[in-house]
Amino acid sequence: MASAATDLLLAPHARWWSYAWPAPWILTCVSALTWAVLRACEKHAAHSTTDVEDPHRDEWEHAA
């Protein structure tokens, strides 16, 4: 948002500015997608290890 405000209010004339000001927005989207993929992998790994590490889980659920 700061880069968009700078672009709007100060209108920098550097040649590289047209490539730099959207960078924070792009990085935010990439970060969100990366987090979602890594979180899904983490949940999948946690789900698959609980089934392997706990062979008596069905018995416990039945007893409860």
Side-chain angles (χ1 to χ4, degrees):
M1 287 187 221
S3 62
T6 301
D7 186 52
L8 181 66
L9 298 174
L10 301 177
H13 297 291
R15 290 182 181 164
W16 53 266
W17 181 251
S18 62
Y19 300 107
W21 81 266
W25 296 101
I26 294 168
L27 291 174
T28 300
C29 293
V30 169
S31 297
L33 287 173
T34 302
W35 176 84
V37 169
L38 291 174
R39 181 69 176 141
C41 290
E42 180 185 26
K43 283 188 171 190
H44 178 70
H47 179 67
S48 63
T49 56
T50 56
D51 292 342
V52 172
E53 292 177 358
D54 196 3
H56 304 289
R57 182 177 181 146
D58 291 334
E59 294 173 13
W60 293 341
E61 288 177 0
H62 181 68

